[in-house]
Amino acid sequence: MKTDNAQLAAFAAVLRSGSFEAAAQALHVTPSAVSQRIRLLEERMGQVLLQRSTPCRPTPAGKALARFAEQVSLLEAEMLGEIGAGGGPEVGPLRLPLAVNADSLDSWFMSACQEVLTDAAVVVDLRVEDQDHSAVLLREGSVMAAVSASPQAIQGCSVAPLGIMRYRAMATPGFVHRYFPDGVASASLSRAPMLTFNRKDELPVRFLGQFGERALTPPTHFIPSTLGFLEALKSGLGWGMVPEGFIGEQVAVGDLVDIAPGYPLDVALFWHRWRFASPVLDRLTQAVRGAAARGLRPPVSPV
Amino acid sequence: MKTDNAQLAAFAAVLRSGSFEAAAQALHVTPSAVSQRIRLLEERMGQVLLQRSTPCRPTPAGKALARFAEQVSLLEAEMLGEIGAGGGPEVGPLRLPLAVNADSLDSWFMSACQEVLTDAAVVVDLRVEDQDHSAVLLREGSVMAAVSASPQAIQGCSVAPLGIMRYRAMATPGFVHRYFPDGVASASLSRAPMLTFNRKDELPVRFLGQFGERALTPPTHFIPSTLGFLEALKSGLGWGMVPEGFIGEQVAVGDLVDIAPGYPLDVALFWHRWRFASPVLDRLTQAVRGAAARGLRPPVSPV
């Protein structure tokens, strides 16, 4: 083989941690050992693989190698686990880098992780990303699977529907009384303050698009955190789109009401994973499907 | 005056929304009007101010102008409010762009916002940032105030202590029984799985630094969301650092126990704001101090 696994591991560790020093610490070697392995790897590949920036980023050639390195590292950890040599401090636990959309992570997704992470030999490395960025991460190999609202298959990955997350426009009764005494319509919606997660959040725009011909631009609070968002909602700062699965025993949301019961928004979610034989990815896929079946509405069948 | 406020508003709107199209929609004008205003502004300044990238970013000269534009926009909105001409759809609500660390946003901070945001004429635009990035945002004028763990005053800003957020290392009783039957020490801590928010989270490293001479690297789950983190903690996936203020009526955390009662970690928080006369910033500062006094331990006096 042309590649050396110690060199690949050093390369992957630098990308993960962002620096030679942090990679050295994670691998229990000196920074100069990491630096030498990267240099040898670059010589062998005949390409510069890493931009020595803060944090270190892969070059275009480095991106292709990064995915390969993550795959080799998963295969090696599984193989060592199988022959009873895994999980020790020399090898480290098997790491699952995954991308998840924020609302899934805050509701049904963790119960899937729990099934797979029965002991300290497997750890998750979660990233909260919207679908556009998930696709990039899957392609470059930074994550091995993702929950995303995109049905688009990514090269080298399989995709399967998980189910539907239904959102409702919610507010306190006092807020409804003040801003929507005659119900929800174009005029009242352009005056009533709205809560949005961040600028990438398309749900409020989709919701508003159902009312009025031209784009409505109500006063908008940006609150990019689920707990802060729910807190603002409960205190009557505005109305906001809430996944129906949120309103459970985990978070007390008080007596919020649906401001437009006839206008829920449905977001279909999909599971993307490397098309790549791996027992732990298979087990995780099983668990994610089970948790989605419990926490989401069933996917719409493509009839 | 050398600058034109309609041009400045177009410039600020492009930076905020990332594109000429989105800025045009927010300002209720056509994209070509936005584009013309930016061009005129650049001609008058004799400098390119915007990189036409996706999203649009300021050039170094543009950064200085961006802060000025945000300050003018706040002053104008306040002045219009004073003379009774503000808050209409033509002017839009007064916008408060703020940076907050994640744990503050998820606990005490929203109650401060509520006091200021009594009606639809003021909206918050929150960003979750660590202290390094908050400083950059304050300097370039993207936010007008920030809650940060850095006591370092930023040019043009004042800084005042808010109080102490105390963190405790928590886990389920079952987890403690399995991994720490003989208490917390270097050997048990290097085996027990740990929960971390993300790679910038320094609390676990600070906590581990109190045990053992060399750096401990336990199996680590990365879960960058407060609700997901607490869910993982409750289900016994690992131990993790939890702000003591979290454990209230807002989130059910079950019967977690402190794995090392003698080793809490204290993080001092500070309020940075533009040194700039503004009634709404003054009111927000009052409210933030009040909420911090209720939600945090008192700041250590510099005796």
Side-chain angles (χ1 to χ4, degrees):
Chain A
M1 283 199 282
K2 205 173 174 183
T3 52
D4 172 275
N5 282 349
Q7 293 169 9
L8 284 177
F11 177 67
V14 170
L15 287 184
R16 232 176 274 153
S17 64
S19 76
F20 284 58
E21 291 69 34
Q25 199 178 335
L27 296 171
H28 300 292
V29 299
T30 62
S32 73
V34 171
S35 158
Q36 193 190 10
R37 285 174 203 180
I38 304 284
R39 207 174 49 243
L40 288 171
L41 186 62
E42 290 184 325
E43 274 172 25
R44 203 174 294 189
M45 296 295 124
Q47 309 245 23
V48 177
L49 300 170
L50 271 180
Q51 293 168 23
R52 269 70 170 180
S53 48
T54 313
C56 288
R57 298 288 310 151
T59 63
K63 277 183 191 168
L65 204 79
R67 178 164 173 168
F68 173 69
E70 288 291 352
Q71 291 177 331
V72 170
S73 129
L74 175 63
L75 286 176
E76 185 189 62
E78 285 184 340
M79 176 274 293
L80 291 171
E82 218 173 297
I83 65 173
E90 322 74 36
V91 185
L94 200 157
R95 181 179 151 271
L96 295 179
L98 308 170
V100 191
N101 64 314
D103 288 333
S104 289
L105 175 51
D106 283 338
S107 51
W108 62 274
F109 189 77
M110 283 315 298
S111 86
C113 290
Q114 284 153 31
E115 286 180 46
V116 180
L117 311 176
T118 42
D119 55 43
V122 180
V123 295
V124 284
D125 189 349
L126 301 181
R127 297 179 56 165
V128 176
E129 302 290 353
D130 63 292
Q131 50 262 35
D132 298 338
H133 204 206
S134 292
V136 173
L137 294 175
L138 279 164
R139 231 186 324 259
E140 74 181 28
S142 303
V143 300
M144 50 180 75
V147 175
S148 153
S150 165
Q152 211 66 43
I154 289 141
Q155 200 204 334
C157 297
S158 65
V159 56
L162 286 172
I164 305 286
M165 191 171 262
R166 174 161 290 184
Y167 289 80
R168 297 182 179 282
M170 307 290 281
T172 61
F175 186 89
V176 172
H177 182 76
R178 176 169 176 191
Y179 288 101
F180 303 118
D182 305 315
V184 163
S186 162
S188 52
L189 280 172
S190 61
R191 274 193 307 271
M194 175 174 96
L195 306 180
T196 298
F197 200 70
N198 60 30
R199 291 196 162 67
K200 289 181 188 163
D201 185 357
E202 292 171 3
L203 288 166
V205 177
R206 270 180 63 193
F207 177 81
L208 291 172
Q210 302 173 104
F211 304 87
E213 324 67 66
R214 70 177 192 80
L216 300 174
T217 51
T220 305
H221 299 286
F222 292 93
I223 307 176
S225 143
T226 302
L227 277 178
F229 186 93
L230 292 173
E231 195 56 30
L233 204 60
K234 282 186 280 178
S235 66
L237 275 193
W239 65 269
M241 302 303 298
V242 183
E244 60 181 4
F246 262 38
I247 299 159
E249 71 277 14
Q250 195 181 20
V251 182
V253 287
D255 56 349
L256 297 176
V257 295
D258 191 333
I259 66 168
Y263 298 87
L265 285 185
D266 286 350
V267 174
L269 294 174
F270 299 85
W271 178 242
H272 299 258
R273 59 160 285 187
W274 288 349
R275 202 194 300 276
F276 172 80
S278 151
V280 70
L281 251 185
D282 292 347
R283 227 157 65 223
L284 179 67
T285 298
Q286 273 308 104
V288 164
R289 284 191 164 168
R294 292 189 300 276
L296 296 173
R297 288 172 177 254
V300 178
S301 60
V303 180
Chain B
M1 284 201 281
K2 206 173 173 182
T3 52
D4 172 276
N5 282 350
Q7 293 169 9
L8 285 177
F11 177 67
V14 170
L15 288 183
R16 234 175 271 154
S17 64
S19 75
F20 283 57
E21 291 68 34
Q25 199 178 334
L27 296 171
H28 300 292
V29 299
T30 62
S32 74
V34 171
S35 157
Q36 193 190 10
R37 286 174 203 180
I38 303 284
R39 208 175 48 243
L40 289 172
L41 186 62
E42 290 185 324
E43 274 172 24
R44 203 173 294 190
M45 296 294 124
Q47 309 243 25
V48 177
L49 301 170
L50 272 179
Q51 294 168 24
R52 269 70 170 179
S53 48
T54 312
C56 288
R57 298 288 310 151
T59 62
K63 278 183 190 168
L65 204 79
R67 179 163 173 171
F68 173 68
E70 289 290 353
Q71 290 176 332
V72 169
S73 127
L74 175 64
L75 285 177
E76 184 189 64
E78 285 183 341
M79 177 274 293
L80 291 172
E82 220 173 293
I83 66 172
E90 322 73 39
V91 185
L94 202 157
R95 181 178 149 271
L96 296 179
L98 308 170
V100 192
N101 65 313
D103 288 333
S104 290
L105 176 51
D106 284 338
S107 52
W108 62 273
F109 189 76
M110 282 315 297
S111 85
C113 290
Q114 285 153 31
E115 286 180 45
V116 180
L117 311 175
T118 43
D119 54 42
V122 180
V123 295
V124 285
D125 189 350
L126 301 180
R127 297 180 55 166
V128 176
E129 302 290 353
D130 63 294
Q131 50 262 36
D132 298 338
H133 205 207
S134 292
V136 173
L137 294 175
L138 278 165
R139 234 189 319 262
E140 74 182 27
S142 303
V143 300
M144 47 180 77
V147 175
S148 153
S150 165
Q152 211 67 45
I154 289 141
Q155 201 204 331
C157 296
S158 67
V159 56
L162 287 172
I164 305 286
M165 191 171 262
R166 174 161 288 183
Y167 289 80
R168 297 182 177 282
M170 307 289 283
T172 61
F175 186 89
V176 172
H177 181 76
R178 176 167 175 193
Y179 288 101
F180 302 118
D182 306 314
V184 163
S186 162
S188 53
L189 280 173
S190 61
R191 275 193 307 271
M194 175 174 96
L195 306 180
T196 299
F197 200 70
N198 60 31
R199 291 196 161 68
K200 289 180 188 165
D201 186 357
E202 291 171 1
L203 288 166
V205 176
R206 271 181 65 193
F207 178 81
L208 292 171
Q210 302 173 104
F211 303 87
E213 325 67 66
R214 70 176 191 79
L216 299 174
T217 52
T220 305
H221 299 286
F222 292 93
I223 306 177
S225 143
T226 303
L227 277 178
F229 186 94
L230 292 174
E231 194 58 29
L233 204 60
K234 284 187 278 178
S235 66
L237 275 193
W239 65 269
M241 301 303 297
V242 183
E244 60 180 5
F246 261 38
I247 300 159
E249 71 276 14
Q250 196 182 22
V251 181
V253 287
D255 56 348
L256 297 177
V257 294
D258 190 334
I259 65 169
Y263 297 87
L265 285 186
D266 286 349
V267 174
L269 294 175
F270 299 85
W271 178 242
H272 299 259
R273 59 159 284 188
W274 287 350
R275 201 194 301 276
F276 173 79
S278 151
V280 71
L281 251 185
D282 292 348
R283 228 157 63 224
L284 180 67
T285 298
Q286 273 309 103
V288 164
R289 284 190 165 169
R294 293 190 299 276
L296 297 173
R297 289 173 176 254
V300 178
S301 61
V303 180

